[in-house]
């Protein structure tokens, strides 16, 4: 959540996090070389929806100002917490060399590419994040028992990906002995679902690019809309087959059988007001299509579900929540039926894919511990990107107020650093965010305007054809009449000739 350089006593007390990319004095955000400058953070002050009634009690409100109120603003193609790196899809000393970052269907990768991806994920699980550390206490305790010991910890790159998701969905602690408040979620059940998860993936992709020293590294996707009850990516060359010994475990032939989850002790966090840390506990649990108590989640979404949800025109609808009907966001998230109608018993698309996994990947506070999460969400993001391409929405269709807390357009997404708003992720990826998808989508049906235009052109063509045909028939008839009279004329000419010959004589 915060750069290691910033969580010193001095950094925390100053509220400023503006390091130099070159570690030199008087160079906040690389200002000496024009990379960026240190500015005040604008935190969203618009009203949030009624779901959260505990204003003032949660560190995540008006993120990130409880911790820091000054950050780097980078110029041109520079980005990062100190303006020391290039925007996605760019490389080079001046960040002016384009690099293609293409997310592909994981099933269509070569055997070598699959192996490289699995090894890269495993490396990310074991590599300490080079820049970022996590708070292990809420802000009121973050200076430690003596008031001088900041409570932050190292975390690995992949575990940081898991931790950010956990932190965004965790309950609001209201005090010892009081039940924590669970009606809050900074990354689900609101318009920010698509933008938050988009940035979440971008951050992992960037961290892995840096780890691999390969700016073209791209996360692949899992097309989960294949219907049926088979997890096609659950094989040992990809995300791990089912164990022969335990229905709920991953085969020991898969590297992922060695992975241990973090953030499992939710009761402790909620009752004691602690925060998940990098401590790994039990193996990943997964039993695809195995939830016998809920037959509706034993099948994956159908291909037609994707086609249907892409046709839902409105991005989101009041109350911008998991009860919103005719909302593209609530449909791709999976609280609506694929055609967009809200039904409380329905689970479709993204939610259905999670629940299908039936284990670690089906519980919001734990789900990214199962690496299938990455591929499930890249596909969800690919659908979001296709929707943006087809509908070309104005930024104003994203609600600026009254969305659930964390989900307004101008809100800085929790707990990312440097601050990034939902609005910044509400743009087509290839043109604005430096990556693209290699994917085929069902053809877009015609819009009403297109249907009217086509009908008018077709009507004009039919009229023209009828006119031409009628003209031809009329002309043909008059020719045939003329032809019918030919002998008479012939006779006339004959007679005239005859007359002439007679007169000469
Ligand atoms: O019950 C649901 O609809 C559900 C479960 C689940 C797990 C998860 O990690 C998500 O991100 C969403 C989600 N929805």
């Amino acid at each position: 959540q915060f750069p290691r350089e910033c969580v010193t006593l001095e950094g925390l007390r100053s509220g400023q996090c503006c390091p130099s990319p070159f570690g030199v004095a008087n160079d906040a955000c690389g200002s000496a070389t024009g990379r960026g400058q240190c500015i005040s953070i604008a935190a969203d002050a618009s009203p949030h929806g009624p779901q959260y009634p505990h204003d003032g009690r949660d560190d995540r409100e008006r993120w990130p100002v409880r911790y820091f109120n000054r950050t780097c603003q980078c110029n041109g193609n520079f980005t990062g917490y100190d303006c020391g790196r290039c925007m996605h899809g760019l490389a080079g000393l001046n960040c002016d060399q384009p690099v293609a970052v293409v997310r592909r269907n994981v099933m269509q990768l070569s055997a070598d590419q699959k192996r490289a991806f699995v090894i890269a994920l495993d490396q990310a699980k074991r590599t300490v994040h080079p820049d970022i550390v996590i708070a292990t206490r809420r802000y009121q305790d973050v200076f430690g028992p003596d008031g001088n010991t900041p409570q932050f910890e190292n975390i690995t790159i992949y575990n940081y990906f898991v931790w950010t998701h956990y932190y965004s969905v965790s309950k609001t602690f209201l005090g010892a002995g009081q039940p924590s408040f669970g009606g809050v979620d900074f990354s689900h059940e609101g318009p920010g679902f698509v933008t938050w998860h988009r940035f979440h993936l971008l951050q992992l992709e960037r961290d892995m690019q840096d780890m691999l020293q390969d700016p073209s590294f791209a996360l692949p996707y899992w097309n989960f809309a294949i219907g049926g009850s088979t997890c096609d990516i659950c094989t040992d060359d990809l995300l791990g087959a089912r164990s022969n010994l335990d229905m709920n475990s991953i085969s020991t032939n898969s590297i992922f059988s060695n992975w241990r989850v973090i953030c499992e002790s939710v009761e402790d966090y909620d009752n004691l007001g602690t925060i998940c840390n990098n401590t790994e506990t039990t193996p990943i649990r997964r039993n695809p299509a195995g939830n016998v108590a809920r037959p509706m989640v034993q099948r994956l979404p159908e291909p037609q579900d994707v086609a249907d949800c892409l046709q839902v025109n409105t991005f989101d609808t009041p109350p911008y929540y998991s009860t919103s009907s005719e909302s593209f966001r609530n449909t791709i998230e999976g609280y609506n039926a694929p055609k967009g109608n809200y039904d409380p018993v329905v689970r479709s698309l993204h939610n259905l894919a999670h629940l299908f996994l039936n284990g670690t990947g089906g519980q919001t506070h734990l789900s990214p511990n199962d690496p299938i999460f990455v591929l499930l969400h890249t596909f969800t993001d690919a659908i979001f990107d296709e929707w943006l391409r087809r509908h070309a929405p104005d930024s104003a269709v994203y609600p600026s107020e009254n969305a659930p807390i964390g989900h307004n357009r101008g809100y800085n997404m929790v707990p990312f650093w440097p601050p990034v708003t939902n609005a910044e992720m509400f743009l087509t990826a290839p043109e604005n965010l430096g990556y693209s998808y290699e994917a085929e989508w069902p053809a877009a049906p015609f819009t009403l305007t297109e249907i009217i235009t086509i009908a008018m052109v077709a009507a004009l063509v039919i009229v023209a054809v009828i006119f031409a045909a009628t003209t031809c028939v009329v002309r043909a008839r008059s020719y045939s009449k003329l032809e019918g009279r030919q002998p008479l004329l012939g006779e006339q000419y004959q007679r005239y000739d005859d007359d002439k010959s007679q007169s000469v004589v």
Side-chain angles (χ1 to χ4, degrees):
Q1 85 189 323
F2 301 121
R4 196 172 284 108
E5 287 128 286
C6 294
V7 297
T8 58
L9 271 182
E10 190 198 1
L12 287 165
R13 286 186 182 140
S14 71
Q16 176 167 310
C17 178
C18 293
S20 158
F22 308 110
V24 296
N26 300 319
D27 182 39
C29 314
S31 55
T33 46
R35 284 179 171 245
Q37 50 281 325
C38 190
I39 57 146
S40 287
I41 293 171
D44 181 51
S46 301
H48 58 71
Q51 301 85 3
Y52 178 70
H54 296 293
D55 283 333
R57 307 289 296 275
D58 196 308
D59 293 344
R60 298 167 294 182
E61 291 169 25
R62 306 192 68 230
W63 184 257
V65 297
R66 195 67 53 96
Y67 287 89
F68 292 102
N69 54 26
R70 287 178 68 77
T71 185
C72 287
Q73 183 184 62
C74 307
N75 301 324
N77 294 334
F78 296 112
T79 189
Y81 70 93
D82 57 3
C83 303
R85 66 186 322 286
C86 301
M87 290 173 96
H88 226 61
L90 290 170
L93 274 182
N94 297 317
C95 298
D96 51 5
Q97 292 163 21
V99 182
V101 179
V102 184
R103 297 182 179 173
R104 300 189 165 88
N105 186 331
V106 74
M107 295 294 287
Q108 288 164 10
L109 299 183
S110 67
D112 282 350
Q113 289 169 328
K114 287 177 182 172
R115 198 173 312 114
F117 174 62
V118 166
I119 289 171
L121 277 179
D122 192 55
Q123 190 181 340
K125 179 78 176 172
R126 292 179 287 103
T127 305
V128 171
H129 199 294
D131 312 318
I132 298 289
V133 289
I134 52 158
T136 54
R137 290 287 178 276
R138 287 171 300 113
Y139 186 74
Q140 72 174 49
D141 299 328
V142 90
F143 288 92
D146 60 357
N148 288 315
T149 317
Q151 302 290 295
F152 290 87
E153 217 176 81
N154 278 328
I155 191 159
T156 69
I157 289 171
Y158 195 87
N159 283 349
Y160 178 55
F161 181 71
V162 180
W163 186 91
T164 46
H165 194 261
Y166 146 80
Y167 190 79
S168 75
V169 302
S170 60
K171 294 181 179 178
T172 300
F173 183 68
L174 295 174
Q178 300 228 52
S180 292
F181 176 71
V184 63
D185 190 326
F186 287 80
S187 55
H188 304 82
E189 300 185 59
F193 165 72
V194 279
T195 45
W196 191 96
H197 285 88
R198 165 166 279 198
F199 189 78
H200 191 218
L201 294 168
L202 263 182
Q203 180 196 254
L204 177 68
E205 195 167 64
R206 272 181 206 177
D207 288 345
M208 291 183 70
Q209 287 172 354
D210 292 349
M211 177 188 80
L212 299 167
Q213 300 189 324
D214 174 7
S216 71
F217 170 80
L219 299 170
Y221 66 84
W222 172 37
N223 178 359
F224 57 67
I226 50 173
S229 54
T230 304
C231 173
D232 56 348
I233 58 168
C234 297
T235 51
D236 284 333
D237 60 339
L238 283 174
L239 281 293
R242 193 193 291 277
S243 159
N244 291 327
L245 306 172
D246 176 3
M247 292 280 284
N248 292 294
S249 297
I250 298 175
S251 142
T252 49
N253 295 328
S254 162
I255 216 163
F256 299 115
S257 64
N258 299 321
W259 280 31
R260 298 291 178 266
V261 310
I262 64 162
C263 303
E264 216 173 8
S265 311
V266 255
E267 283 82 23
D268 283 359
Y269 316 139
D270 295 345
N271 297 332
L272 307 174
T274 52
I275 297 181
C276 156
N277 57 24
N278 193 41
T279 306
E280 298 184 348
T281 50
T282 61
I284 297 166
R285 298 186 71 74
R286 189 196 293 159
N287 180 3
N291 190 343
V292 286
R294 285 181 82 178
M296 275 172 67
V297 302
Q298 288 182 327
R299 281 182 68 82
L300 283 166
E302 298 290 334
Q304 187 59 38
D305 298 348
V306 175
D308 287 344
C309 92
L310 284 169
Q311 287 187 61
V312 179
N313 286 314
T314 310
F315 172 63
D316 213 344
T317 57
Y320 311 118
Y321 191 45
S322 46
T323 50
S324 293
S325 205
E326 313 310 326
S327 144
F328 164 74
R329 188 273 314 159
N330 211 28
T331 306
I332 180 63
E333 187 168 359
Y335 291 105
N336 286 351
K339 282 186 159 51
N341 48 307
Y342 173 65
D343 178 344
V345 299
V346 159
R347 285 295 182 274
S348 69
L349 290 158
H350 151 268
N351 279 342
L352 178 53
H354 270 293
L355 296 174
F356 172 86
L357 296 176
N358 187 32
T360 305
Q363 302 165 66
T364 41
H365 66 286
L366 288 178
S367 51
N369 278 297
D370 186 334
I372 289 185
F373 179 102
V374 176
L375 306 177
L376 185 165
H377 271 281
T378 37
F379 187 59
T380 307
D381 185 63
I383 298 171
F384 172 43
D385 207 54
E386 177 64 8
W387 185 90
L388 287 171
R389 194 187 68 78
R390 285 190 188 183
H391 298 263
D394 191 88
S395 65
V397 309
Y398 190 111
S400 61
E401 55 185 36
N402 298 325
I405 188 164
H407 293 257
N408 282 344
R409 193 195 311 161
Y411 208 96
N412 294 315
M413 294 181 280
V414 177
F416 300 124
W417 187 271
V420 51
T421 61
N422 286 302
E424 290 174 75
M425 292 294 115
F426 194 65
L427 297 166
T428 48
E431 294 78 11
N432 302 285
L433 302 175
Y435 69 93
S436 60
Y437 287 97
E438 192 179 84
E440 277 172 23
W441 303 104
F446 293 117
T447 62
L448 186 60
T449 324
E450 284 166 342
I451 291 170
I452 293 170
T453 313
I454 291 167
M456 284 168 60
V457 171
L460 284 174
V461 170
I462 290 167
V463 168
V465 167
I466 292 171
F467 179 78
T470 316
T471 311
C472 288
V473 168
V474 169
R475 287 211 174 156
R477 278 195 187 151
S478 51
Y479 274 130
S480 64
K481 272 188 193 159
L482 281 176
E483 267 175 22
R485 275 193 244 139
Q486 200 81 27
L488 289 174
L489 283 174
E491 275 171 24
Q492 267 180 3
Y493 287 127
Q494 191 64 45
R495 261 190 255 124
Y496 173 76
D497 286 353
D498 290 352
D499 288 354
K500 266 180 34 182
S501 62
Q502 276 169 13
S503 65
V504 169
V505 169

